[in-house]
């Protein structure tokens, strides 16, 4: 079972109140909501096909600068500094299962009998890199199969913090969720 978790992490003087980071854009379901709320969005997605579809779906928001849609895999800062590119494993039937984490790829194949596709090389980005380029968002959504906890850990590297963070977790108890980074 997976949980969607939201937590307040503090106040920052330089936070951009109208900015949202959507890490794990997928098909843009969340991005569409943030744009409808009048927010500016920086969305990152490792699956190039989904990025291309998103650029068509949200062409107006991209053109007017309200949406930056980036083709990259979001990983922990330590990993992004070591490797500018990683293998991304798309899933042919379940696009939401695409991952750079081989543990997740194996888990999906073994538990569900649904193997991933051939790996594709994608560039990497980290939360600190995104904040350096675009500023600190007021809202941070993390739903990146296998790298969520690394991104949560990277929040300790930021001098400014989002006021709200939402992330997906596979933890099965609130205690285990609260012990995450």
């Amino acid at each position: 079972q997976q949980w969607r978790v939201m937590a307040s992490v503090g106040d920052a003087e330089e936070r951009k109140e109208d900015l949202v980071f959507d890490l794990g854009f997928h098909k843009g379901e969340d991005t569409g909501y943030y744009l409808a709320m009048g927010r500016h969005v920086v969305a990152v997605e490792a699956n190039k096909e989904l990025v291309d579809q998103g650029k068509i779906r949200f062409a107006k928001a991209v053109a007017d600068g309200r949406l930056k849609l980036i083709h990259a895999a979001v990983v922990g800062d330590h990993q992004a500094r070591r490797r500018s590119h990683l293998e991304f494993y798309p899933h042919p039937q379940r696009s939401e299962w695409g991952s750079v984490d081989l543990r997740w790829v194996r888990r999906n194949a073994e538990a569900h009998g649904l193997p991933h596709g051939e790996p594709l090389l994608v560039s990497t980005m980290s939360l600190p890199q995104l904040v350096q380029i675009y500023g600190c968002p007021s809202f941070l959504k993390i739903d990146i199969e296998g790298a969520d906890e690394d991104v949560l850990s990277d929040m300790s590297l930021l001098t400014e913090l989002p006021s709200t963070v939402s992330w997906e977790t596979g933890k099965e108890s609130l205690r285990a969720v609260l012990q995450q980074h």
Side-chain angles (χ1 to χ4, degrees):
Q1 181 176 11
Q2 297 199 348
W3 300 76
R4 178 76 62 165
V5 179
M6 296 177 71
S8 178
V9 293
D11 295 321
E13 294 177 9
E14 300 297 322
R15 185 175 46 241
K16 295 183 176 184
E17 294 303 324
D18 70 337
L19 181 61
V20 174
F21 282 1
D22 184 353
L23 308 184
F25 170 81
H26 190 239
K27 295 181 179 178
E29 300 93 333
D30 295 327
T31 288
Y33 175 74
Y34 306 138
L35 291 169
M37 290 177 47
R39 299 302 215 30
H40 286 80
V41 180
V42 173
V44 186
E45 173 58 51
N47 186 322
K48 175 90 166 87
E49 186 176 303
L50 296 176
V51 170
D52 291 343
Q53 291 170 6
K55 287 181 178 178
I56 294 167
R57 177 180 176 191
F58 298 108
K60 184 176 180 332
V62 170
D64 68 20
R66 291 183 307 124
L67 173 60
K68 304 280 189 238
L69 187 47
I70 302 164
H71 176 229
V74 180
V75 296
D77 194 60
H78 66 283
Q79 193 172 24
R81 291 184 185 282
R82 282 195 332 261
R83 304 204 40 209
S84 63
H85 291 79
L86 284 175
E87 289 182 333
F88 169 72
Y89 294 83
H91 198 280
Q93 291 104 359
R94 304 285 306 261
S95 58
E96 69 274 15
W97 284 0
S99 182
V100 296
D101 189 323
L102 280 174
R103 295 171 300 172
W104 285 67
V105 171
R106 287 186 196 109
R107 178 203 72 175
N108 291 339
E110 292 169 10
H112 305 288
L114 296 170
H116 284 252
E118 291 298 314
L120 305 169
L121 203 59
V122 298
S123 59
T124 60
M125 293 213 68
S126 70
L127 177 61
Q129 290 170 331
L130 289 164
V131 168
Q132 183 177 17
I133 296 167
Y134 299 103
C136 182
S138 64
F139 188 87
L140 170 62
K141 177 220 132 182
I142 309 165
D143 186 357
I144 44 179
E145 307 302 298
D148 303 70
E149 288 194 31
D150 288 337
V151 174
L152 286 171
S153 293
D154 284 350
M155 289 180 55
S156 67
L157 302 174
L158 303 178
T159 57
E160 306 166 29
L161 295 173
S163 58
T164 305
V165 179
S166 168
W167 74 95
E168 184 179 56
T169 182
K171 306 296 183 192
E172 295 185 14
S173 74
L174 183 56
R175 178 171 293 164
V177 169
L178 294 174
Q179 291 174 346
Q180 282 184 286
H181 301 284

